[in-house]
Amino acid sequence: MKLAILVVEDEPPVRTALARDLAPFAGGARIELAEDVEDAWAVVGEVADGGDTLALILSDHRLPGTSGVDFLVSTMTDPRTRAARRVLVTGQAGHEDTIRAINEAELDHYVAKPWDPEEFRAVVREQLTDFVLTNGLDPLPHLAVLDAARAMHALRERPDGRFA
């Protein structure tokens, strides 16, 4: 089972830049790109059918049709996406949209465009680590994409040294 990262971004150059900045995670995580919400739900199905776990959703707000915030809110009720960490990656979300994402989609982080690639990767690593630890997964198979120090500390702190 691999951790999956879903990127929802309609602008091809931005989607390409996000994929480029996520490339260091590709060896240890499944990176999936979607151009709109309909495509994103199809990817969610492919990830689940492939036996992988959706760990992180990175979504733009301004998307054709359904907004990124609406998509993130809808992921709260689907068992395939409920546990995933949610990050809004946008320069377009207004104050009300951002508050709605925090309150209704339990937004885990906000990344403003344009982003710094190193800071972006640090956010992704932190969110993947939070996902693994919060869900009681064994961090060892995913160590390449996690904050190794935090993961190993969590492993040492477990009374039996084991995860689910």
Side-chain angles (χ1 to χ4, degrees):
M1 183 267 306
K2 267 191 158 182
L3 300 178
I5 300 169
L6 170 59
V7 176
V8 188
E9 170 59 58
D10 64 319
E11 294 181 37
V14 178
R15 202 167 48 245
T16 299
L18 287 164
R20 177 199 64 223
D21 291 343
L22 289 170
F25 296 93
R30 177 176 173 171
I31 299 169
E32 296 287 345
L33 308 176
E35 61 186 44
D36 58 29
V37 171
E38 182 179 339
D39 192 22
W41 281 116
V43 169
V44 167
E46 291 169 13
V47 168
D49 291 346
D52 293 324
T53 300
L54 185 60
L56 178 59
I57 302 168
L58 303 163
S59 182
D60 186 17
H61 174 55
R62 301 271 174 150
L63 298 168
T66 307
S67 76
V69 170
D70 286 340
F71 171 63
L72 292 174
V73 169
S74 70
T75 65
M76 297 297 296
T77 58
D78 189 300
R80 302 169 299 175
T81 55
R82 175 66 186 102
R85 307 292 292 180
R86 293 163 187 78
V87 175
L88 196 59
V89 183
T90 189
Q92 300 290 323
H95 190 70
E96 287 181 19
D97 291 323
T98 303
I99 290 171
R100 184 165 172 254
I102 292 167
N103 291 340
E104 295 180 35
E106 297 178 13
L107 191 68
D108 294 297
H109 206 87
Y110 182 103
V111 174
K113 292 179 183 175
W115 63 89
D116 173 89
E118 287 300 316
E119 289 176 14
F120 176 72
R121 283 189 285 273
V123 167
V124 169
R125 191 170 303 283
E126 174 188 3
Q127 294 303 318
L128 291 174
T129 304
D130 287 348
F131 176 83
V132 166
L133 298 180
T134 300
N135 289 285
L137 301 178
D138 181 355
L140 294 178
H142 311 290
L143 215 49
V145 298
L146 304 180
D147 176 335
R150 265 184 67 209
M152 294 309 291
H153 176 74
L155 196 55
R156 284 191 300 274
E157 293 296 310
R158 293 204 46 101
D160 60 2
R162 301 174 69 169
F163 282 84

